[in-house]
Amino acid sequence: MIRILDRENTILNRFIAQMRDVTVQGDSMRFRRNLERVGEVMAYEISKTLHYSRRIVETPLGEAEVALPDDQIVIATILRAGIPFHQGFLNYFDDAQNAFVSAYRKYSKDGTFNIKVEYISTCELSGKTLLIVDPMLATGTSLDLTHKALIEKAGRPRKTIIAAVIASEEGLDYAQKHFSQDTDIWCGTVDAELTVKSYIVPGLGDAGDLAYGDKM
């Protein structure tokens, strides 16, 4: 399943518009908060697709029957741009376990690059719902390598959900071809192009730099 949220009327569009806007991007705190708010909205929407069971809750005056989610959720993100986005999901899935992956683009002199995965911190994944959250789905390569590295280290989840603020059409196609059919993909919006350095156009620039400052 692929769900692209800006094809509906949603307040999410305002947060994405502010993240794209060069006149707003200079405020890194606001950029981080908007990433977090997008994560919160997407978590709410994704929560509607989980499995639920009716349970009894004791109140001071009696008992109430409530439908509560059954899924054991693990939220995984790629450092560093994904941290505020991750926090937005954790604000709603507050009992989730968490995983963090250090991955980066290593460029060659000709401008091409390979994805390097250096470090993984994760719990056991077998039988759980893995939610991989990454602000930008550009080529899809880092997402694929991250998913494979997590499975190799911690087992195969029952279900995988991918969430991105902005995806490219190329990245979305790549994800559809390289992830199994039990994977759901959620995007805030989808852009048509990638630059020669695989940045999304119009995109928003480098999410990590906008959130935390320029890197060497």
Side-chain angles (χ1 to χ4, degrees):
M1 183 195 77
I2 296 177
R3 182 86 179 272
I4 302 169
L5 293 176
D6 77 338
R7 294 181 180 176
E8 307 168 10
N9 290 328
T10 168
I11 193 62
L12 184 80
N13 294 340
R14 181 184 179 192
F15 307 149
I16 294 176
Q18 289 180 1
M19 285 192 289
R20 289 189 190 268
D21 192 335
V22 294
T23 65
V24 178
Q25 286 184 344
D27 186 343
S28 60
M29 184 172 69
R30 189 172 180 183
F31 186 85
R32 292 192 302 271
R33 179 61 183 127
N34 278 329
L35 270 178
E36 185 177 353
R37 291 199 289 183
V38 172
E40 290 172 343
V41 172
M42 295 185 80
Y44 172 74
E45 294 294 336
I46 289 170
S47 75
K48 299 175 185 178
T49 69
L50 302 178
H51 295 90
Y52 287 74
S53 296
R54 306 293 296 186
R55 302 178 199 173
I56 299 298
V57 177
E58 291 278 352
T59 82
L61 301 177
E63 294 181 341
E65 188 177 24
V66 184
L68 296 174
D70 298 320
D71 297 64
Q72 290 182 283
I73 294 175
V74 180
I75 307 171
T77 198
I78 302 172
L79 302 174
R80 64 182 170 151
I83 295 174
F85 194 38
H86 182 113
Q87 184 60 51
F89 283 89
L90 192 57
N91 290 347
Y92 278 43
F93 299 129
D94 54 4
D95 60 348
Q97 294 178 288
N98 298 271
F100 299 92
V101 178
S102 174
Y104 67 97
R105 294 178 177 183
K106 185 174 182 179
Y107 284 92
S108 301
K109 291 181 180 179
D110 61 1
T112 61
F113 64 86
N114 293 314
I115 303 295
K116 298 291 183 180
V117 177
E118 288 194 334
Y119 173 78
I120 298 173
S121 173
T122 183
C123 60
E124 173 66 38
L125 297 176
S126 299
K128 299 177 182 178
T129 298
L130 175 62
L131 181 52
I132 304 178
V133 304
D134 191 10
M136 311 298 285
L137 174 52
T139 65
T141 307
S142 61
L143 196 67
D144 185 29
L145 290 175
T146 295
H147 184 240
K148 289 176 178 175
L150 285 166
I151 288 174
E152 183 179 348
K153 183 178 179 68
R156 183 170 293 278
R158 181 188 64 81
K159 183 180 181 63
T160 298
I161 301 172
I162 296 166
V165 180
I166 301 176
S168 71
E169 290 182 356
E170 181 180 321
L172 207 54
D173 288 343
Y174 184 96
Q176 286 181 271
K177 293 174 182 175
H178 289 79
F179 285 83
S180 61
Q181 291 187 345
D182 64 348
T183 301
D184 293 344
I185 304 173
W186 292 70
C187 304
T189 189
V190 178
D191 289 347
E193 299 179 40
L194 287 176
T195 69
V196 292
K197 288 191 174 183
S198 296
Y199 282 97
I200 301 173
V201 178
L204 50 75
D206 189 304
D209 288 356
L210 290 167
Y212 295 110
D214 295 342
K215 59 183 175 295
M216 294 179 63

